[in-house]
Amino acid sequence: MGQTTQLKKRKVPTVNNVITAEINSYKQIAGRAIFEIGRRLKHVKEHDLAHGEWTRWLESVDIVPQTARKLIQAHEQFSNHATSSVLPVGKIFEM
């Protein structure tokens, strides 16, 4: 057997199932939180602030404008239920 075949047969290490389930659950929560933060940022930007107040308001919630744009973009592009249930959290963070 070649080395490639041996690598394919490697088993995934057994880990406490509760911890595995908790990690997967928290990943889902994190993904939903990203979408919700983006939704709320978009609302504030479009409805609650006068022109020129956006950057100053972002400072009050400790978010830089570039991050705010990415969070809003994640909400706009991926927050529909069909997409968000299959989109890995890591892909959201890569944005």
Side-chain angles (χ1 to χ4, degrees):
M1 265 187 214
Q3 186 177 6
T4 305
T5 306
Q6 289 174 354
L7 291 176
K8 289 181 182 178
K9 290 185 177 186
R10 250 188 208 172
K11 292 184 180 181
V12 176
T14 304
V15 178
N16 182 325
N17 289 336
V18 173
I19 292 173
T20 300
E22 288 173 343
I23 289 169
N24 287 325
S25 176
Y26 284 122
K27 283 173 44 182
Q28 288 178 341
I29 292 167
R32 286 191 299 257
I34 289 169
F35 296 138
E36 284 302 315
I37 292 167
R39 183 174 70 84
R40 285 167 172 78
L41 287 169
K42 181 177 179 175
H43 176 85
V44 167
K45 185 175 184 179
E46 292 177 353
H47 302 288
D48 293 345
L49 299 173
H51 182 74
E53 293 181 337
W54 174 243
T55 302
R56 189 172 38 160
W57 180 81
L58 284 175
E59 290 173 1
S60 75
V61 293
D62 198 27
I63 297 176
V64 296
Q66 180 182 8
T67 300
R69 281 191 300 275
K70 289 180 179 183
L71 289 164
I72 292 170
Q73 183 181 14
H75 161 70
E76 291 173 342
Q77 291 182 359
F78 303 114
S79 66
N80 72 57
H81 181 70
T83 302
S84 62
S85 63
V86 296
L87 187 67
V89 174
K91 293 296 179 192
I92 300 166
F93 290 133
E94 287 177 13
M95 289 181 59

